[in-house]
């Protein structure tokens, strides 16, 4: 294959690699593509092709050829002759064809069939329109075959439509047999076959057809490139992209998606910049790629740029952006996206509404999520899962379980994700016995096989409740090899209950599975620190250094007027640091008068008590909350987010702060949400 491409490149009509020949061009506005490789277009001049478009053969450019006319009228003349038709009859045929096509596009096959049957004269275009309707509809392949057999004069388009129907609704052996039986084949025929094999992951067969294909267009190259990207063969995709005679927007976008999929962000950025034409799918690929590669902030930035170009987002764009908002807890942008959805045709779209529900839950606005859930007209399993999971994350275990039972009452069958949310709800509410019952019912009552996520929830549920032996027994009974998260969860429970023996067991297994796991070292060091074994803490830290393991630094952030302010423990760079320290000192005095005593066990350093208190006072979440108290108007909840678990002293201190300042404070850590109000936390000190 490589030699074939190399030889082809040396021919005159192949350009040099595009990087040397194409300069980055200014963004052009272009019709948005919904191209998919299932229904390729034979026209090489089109950059983007709608997925529901079937190219007509260039050999039959006329809508009405007399030998393509058929009649169901009893007095119709022989089909070999060319009967004279007046203009009114021709207009009626054209009008009926348009009506049929319109019904088919809207999915109303019955109405299209009614018009079709009432037509006394039909053209091949008429038959092809109906055939396209049947061949695309799942479960209608048999009807499509019968209709195909009835077409009086089949043209290449008829065969191509039927071929595409076989690709979508049948096995490739049947497709291959039909392809070989076709009396004539055009570019669309070959593209359909190549795309079909690419969709099935049979790239060797697709490449075989590619090499045999007499003439190729941009769709051919795009199908091969997209196929290799989907199969994970990025190097082969790059090779085809380099040698492609014509690079369509689909090919460019496929490569960008591939680079993002494999974390090659710089290459994706370079291609995006160099693309001569971008469509909505291209922008979506960049937004989703950034979010999936933990660069949500860049994803949101490029979304804003897309809007400035006047490009209207679809549900895919909004889903990625809302996921990014959730990760960054960018509530203000999330609300703006909500407004976009309300003003667009997506306001009743279940996927868009579910993304919004999830965003509000993850940004700590549970009431708005619930309101939106109630307003969602058509709820699917994903919608229910999002709301149940939201309640679980916020510690509202009883509400989550009540909603689960309501979902069952609606006749919606739970899936494995539902049970992750249910077990999480039991875990955060400390409902151990109920959680065990739900876990046992998964297979017995619902046929849902437990996955690693379910076992992780159960180990956490048992471990937090102090049932460490039961948690270890469950791990040993798992039907598959435990992954690192299982032992990380057990190690966290050992830290809570100061069980050194099991902590060593969990840490050793965790580090065997993931030698570079900073969490394993840190959690073990924390267990030693909690029991004042500072020599062991030092040994663990030396081991980390020797193995070049870097601890993830803890930081917290708060969003103020669409600007995210980030704080690290002992922060020295924030411009308002002097005011923040002054506020913290004021809070410390008020809290101690109210009965607050610093939890020195949370200061994991072997230093004096006074220095420990200072270190605790400057923890990142306290800095963020103090800043929030300064700038967030009274009556508005202060929302702070942390990339690690909130420590015991901060949890205790924030309860006092909420009381002495009479403010509602919402903190999200890696485990759950904590709603502090009036000196109490929604977790009931169980987290």
């Amino acid at each position: 294959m490589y030699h074939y491409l190399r030889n082809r490149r040396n021919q005159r009509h192949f350009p040099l690699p595009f990087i040397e020949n194409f300069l980055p061009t200014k963004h052009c506005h272009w019709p948005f593509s919904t191209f998919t490789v299932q229904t390729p277009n034979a026209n090489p001049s089109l950059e983007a092709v709608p997925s529901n478009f079937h190219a007509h053969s260039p050999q039959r450019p006329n809508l009405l050829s007399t030998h393509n006319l058929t009649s169901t009228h009893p007095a119709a003349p022989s089909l070999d002759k060319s009967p004279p038709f007046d203009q009114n009859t021709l207009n009626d045929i054209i009008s009926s064809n348009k009506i049929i096509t319109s019904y088919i596009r809207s999915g109303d096959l019955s109405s299209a069939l009614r018009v079709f049957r009432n037509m006394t004269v039909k053209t091949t275009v008429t038959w092809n329109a109906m055939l396209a309707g049947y061949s695309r509809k799942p479960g209608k392949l048999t009807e499509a075959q019968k209709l195909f057999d009835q077409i009086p004069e089949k043209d290449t388009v008829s065969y191509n439509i039927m071929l595409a129907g076989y690709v979508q609704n049948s096995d490739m052996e049947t497709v291959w047999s039909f392809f070989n039986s076709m009396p004539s084949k055009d570019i669309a025929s070959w593209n359909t076959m190549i795309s079909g094999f690419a969709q099935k992951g049979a790239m060797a067969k697709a490449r075989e057809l590619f090499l045999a294909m007499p003439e190729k267009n941009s769709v051919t190259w795009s199908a091969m490139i997209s196929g290799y990207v989907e199969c994970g063969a990025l190097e082969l995709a790059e090779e085809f992209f380099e040698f492609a005679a014509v690079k369509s927007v689909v090919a460019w976008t496929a490569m960008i998606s591939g680079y993002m999929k494999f974390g090659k962000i710089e290459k994706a950025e370079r291609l995006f910049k160099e693309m001569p034409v971008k469509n909505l799918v291209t922008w979506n690929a960049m937004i989703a790629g950034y979010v999936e590669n933990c660069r949500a902030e860049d994803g949101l930035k490029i979304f804003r740029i897309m809007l400035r170009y006047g490009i209207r987002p679809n549900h895919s764009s909004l889903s990625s952006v809302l996921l990014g908002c959730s990760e960054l807890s960018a509530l203000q942008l999330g609300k703006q996206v909500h407004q976009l959805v309300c003003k667009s045709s997506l306001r009743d779209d279940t996927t868009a509404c579910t993304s919004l529900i999830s965003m509000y839950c993850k940004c700590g606005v549970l009431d708005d999520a619930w309101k939106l859930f109630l307003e969602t007209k058509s709820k699917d399993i994903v919608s229910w899962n999002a709301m149940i999971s939201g309640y679980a994350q916020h510690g509202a275990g009883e509400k989550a379980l009540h909603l689960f039972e309501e979902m069952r009452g609606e006749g919606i069958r739970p899936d494995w994700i539902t049970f992750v949310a249910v077990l999480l709800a039991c875990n955060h509410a400390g409902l151990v016995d109920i959680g065990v019952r739900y876990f046992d019912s998964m297979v017995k009552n619902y046929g849902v096989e437990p996955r690693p996520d379910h076992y992780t929830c159960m180990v956490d549920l048992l471990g937090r409740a102090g049932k460490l032996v039961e948690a270890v027994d469950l791990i040993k009974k798992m039907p598959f090899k435990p992954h690192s998260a299982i032992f990380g969860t057990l190690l966290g429970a050992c830290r809570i209950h100061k069980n050194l023996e099991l902590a060593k067991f969990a840490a050793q297994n965790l580090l065997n599975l993931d030698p570079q796991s900073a969490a394993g070292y840190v959690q073990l060091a924390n267990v030693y620190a909690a029991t004042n074994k500072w020599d062991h803490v030092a040994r663990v830290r030396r081991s980390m250094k020797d193995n070049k393991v870097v601890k993830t630094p803890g930081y917290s952030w708060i969003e103020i007027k669409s600007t995210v302010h980030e704080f690290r423990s002992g922060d020295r760079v924030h411009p308002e640091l002097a005011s923040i320290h002054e506020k913290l000192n004021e809070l410390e005095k008020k809290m101690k008068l109210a009965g607050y005593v610093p939890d020195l066990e949370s200061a994991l350093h072997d230093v004096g008590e006074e220095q420990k208190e200072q270190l605790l006072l400057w923890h990142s979440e306290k800095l963020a909350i103090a800043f929030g108290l300064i700038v967030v108007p009274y009556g508005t909840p202060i929302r702070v987010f942390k990339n690690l678990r909130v420590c015991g002293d901060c949890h205790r201190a924030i309860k006092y702060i909420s009381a002495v300042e009479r403010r509602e404070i919402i903190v999200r850590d890696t485990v759950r949400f904590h709603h502090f109000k009036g000196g109490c936390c929604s977790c009931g000190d169980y987290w």
Side-chain angles (χ1 to χ4, degrees), residues 201-487:
M203 290 308 299
K205 192 66 178 177
R207 183 172 59 183
E208 182 183 322
L209 280 171
F210 176 87
L211 295 172
M213 190 173 177
E215 183 183 352
K216 303 165 183 65
N217 65 6
S218 63
V219 176
T220 321
W221 289 93
S222 297
M224 293 298 296
I225 294 165
S226 299
Y228 278 123
V229 167
E230 286 300 313
C231 288
L234 194 58
E235 290 183 3
L236 287 171
E238 286 179 312
E239 188 177 312
F240 270 81
F241 184 78
E242 179 187 352
F243 288 98
V246 183
K247 296 178 176 68
S248 73
V249 68
V250 178
W252 286 83
T253 303
M255 285 307 306
I256 287 173
S257 297
Y259 284 136
M260 284 296 192
K261 182 179 178 180
F262 289 94
K264 299 179 182 294
I265 299 173
E266 290 183 4
K267 287 189 173 184
E269 290 172 334
R270 191 191 73 236
L271 278 194
F272 183 76
K273 182 180 178 182
E274 294 171 351
M275 279 185 74
V277 174
K278 302 173 181 70
N279 65 13
L280 178 59
V281 181
T282 315
W283 288 90
N284 286 350
M286 287 297 294
I287 296 167
Y290 277 130
V291 173
E292 289 164 6
N293 281 282
C294 302
R295 286 178 52 175
E297 191 171 350
D298 290 325
L300 301 190
K301 284 179 182 176
I302 203 166
F303 173 71
R304 291 188 179 101
I305 294 170
M306 184 184 90
L307 293 180
R308 286 202 291 270
Y309 275 114
I311 298 174
R312 296 178 63 183
N314 63 4
H315 68 82
S316 178
S317 327
L318 298 177
S319 293
S320 296
V321 169
L322 290 171
L323 183 59
C325 290
S326 300
E327 290 183 8
L328 295 173
S329 306
L331 180 60
Q332 295 308 312
L333 179 59
K335 287 182 175 180
Q336 291 171 17
V337 173
H338 190 176
Q339 291 175 353
L340 280 175
V341 171
C342 291
K343 293 175 183 177
S344 72
S345 59
L346 295 171
R347 60 184 175 274
D348 294 325
D349 182 80
T350 302
T351 302
C353 290
T354 301
S355 297
L356 284 167
I357 291 167
S358 181
M359 182 275 296
Y360 279 121
C361 285
K362 291 176 181 176
C363 286
V365 193
L366 202 56
D367 289 343
D368 286 357
W370 175 243
K371 182 181 177 182
L372 192 58
F373 178 78
L374 293 176
E375 292 172 353
T376 303
K377 294 178 181 178
S378 178
K379 301 178 185 69
D380 58 13
I381 182 65
V382 184
S383 309
W384 289 91
N385 286 348
M387 199 64 237
I388 294 170
S389 179
Y391 276 133
Q393 289 171 342
H394 286 262
E398 290 184 2
K399 288 184 178 180
L401 298 182
H402 176 76
L403 196 60
F404 171 71
E405 295 301 333
E406 188 179 327
M407 183 190 83
R408 288 181 56 212
E410 293 284 336
I412 297 176
R413 191 172 184 82
D415 60 11
W416 71 273
I417 297 174
T418 316
F419 279 104
V420 171
V422 166
L423 294 176
L424 195 64
C426 294
N427 185 9
H428 288 169
L431 304 172
V432 181
D433 293 337
I434 295 174
V436 170
R437 285 204 299 271
Y438 275 121
F439 181 75
D440 291 340
S441 73
M442 284 173 55
V443 176
K444 185 168 58 178
N445 297 342
Y446 302 98
V448 176
E449 291 291 337
R451 300 190 182 196
D453 287 347
H454 301 113
Y455 279 97
T456 303
C457 286
M458 288 303 297
V459 170
D460 202 19
L461 176 68
L462 295 169
R464 287 185 189 280
K467 298 176 179 289
L468 294 172
V469 175
E470 289 92 329
V472 172
D473 287 342
L474 183 64
I475 292 172
K476 291 177 179 178
K477 292 175 183 176
M478 285 172 58
F480 36 73
K481 185 178 179 181
H483 56 15
S484 58
I486 292 281
F487 290 109

Side-chain angles (χ1 to χ4, degrees), residues 3-118:
H3 296 296
Y4 165 80
L5 291 173
R6 192 170 186 174
N7 292 334
R8 292 281 288 171
R9 184 171 68 167
N10 293 332
Q11 295 178 24
R12 180 169 294 179
H13 66 276
F14 267 71
L16 291 170
F18 76 94
I19 295 175
E20 300 172 11
N21 287 282
F22 294 95
L23 293 173
T25 59
K26 194 173 182 180
H27 176 91
C28 301
H29 291 289
W30 198 259
F32 300 148
S33 167
T34 54
F35 175 86
T36 56
V37 294
Q38 287 93 329
T39 51
N41 176 25
N43 187 347
S45 66
L46 293 181
E47 288 291 330
V49 188
S51 61
N52 60 357
F53 180 84
H54 285 278
H56 288 261
S57 170
Q59 287 80 15
R60 297 189 182 271
N62 297 323
L63 178 65
L64 292 172
S65 299
T66 52
H67 67 277
N68 275 352
L69 291 168
T70 61
S71 173
T72 56
H73 195 279
S78 169
L79 292 176
D80 333 328
K81 299 179 182 178
S82 300
F85 285 97
D86 58 32
Q87 190 62 41
N88 288 337
T89 304
L90 295 177
N91 289 341
D92 287 344
I93 296 170
I94 294 171
S95 176
S96 296
N97 286 349
K98 287 181 178 178
I99 293 170
I100 289 172
T101 302
S102 176
Y103 278 132
I104 287 172
R105 283 177 179 167
S106 66
D108 190 354
L109 202 55
S110 299
S111 296
L113 184 60
R114 187 172 62 251
V115 175
F116 177 80
R117 285 173 174 167
N118 287 335

Side-chain angles (χ1 to χ4, degrees), residues 527-570:
V527 176
Y528 285 130
T531 53
N532 293 317
K533 295 184 180 294
W534 297 108
D535 54 334
H536 289 72
V537 173
R539 191 174 71 239
V540 171
R541 287 176 177 163
R542 278 197 303 273
S543 181
M544 283 183 71
K545 189 175 180 179
D546 293 343
N547 290 296
K548 297 179 180 179
V549 177
V550 180
K551 176 189 173 184
T552 303
Y555 62 91
S556 300
W557 66 98
I558 182 172
E559 183 185 11
I560 307 293
K561 294 180 180 179
S562 299
T563 300
V564 175
H565 296 260
E566 187 177 298
F567 299 88
R568 296 183 185 274
S569 292

Side-chain angles (χ1 to χ4, degrees), residues 632-649:
V632 176
Y634 186 81
T636 302
I638 296 169
R639 292 183 171 86
V640 171
F641 306 88
K642 187 174 182 180
N643 71 325
L644 301 175
R645 186 176 181 271
V646 65
C647 81
D649 179 72

